[in-house]
Amino acid sequence: MPSNLIRRADYDPQTRKLSIWLVTTQNRYDYENVPPETYEAFRRVFSKGRFFNRHIRDRFRYHVTPLG
C-alpha cells in the first residue's frame, strides 16, 4: 500500500473498526463504525491519502492511541 500519508491500515469487519497509522505521526487512529463498503473502496483506490481525507477523516468518530 504505497502512500505518502498512510503507513498502514487494518480493518475488523466484526467491530467495523478501521485502524490507520499515518506517516506523519507515531499514533494509531481507530475509526468507529466504518462500513465494509467504505473500507473496500479505500482498499481499491490508487490514492489512499486522498480517499482517506475525503471519505474517512472527519466523517467517523475516532480514538487516538499513541505508539511512540
Side-chain angles (χ1 to χ4, degrees), residues 1-7 23 46-50:
M1 174 183 60
S3 174
N4 292 329
L5 177 65
I6 298 171
R7 183 169 12 126
V23 171
F46 177 76
S47 177
K48 305 281 190 257
R50 184 176 295 149

Side-chain angles (χ1 to χ4, degrees), residues 2 40-52 55:
E40 285 303 316
F42 171 77
R43 280 187 357 103
R44 288 192 307 267
V45 298
F46 177 76
S47 177
K48 305 281 190 257
R50 184 176 295 149
F51 185 92
F52 172 75
H55 301 284

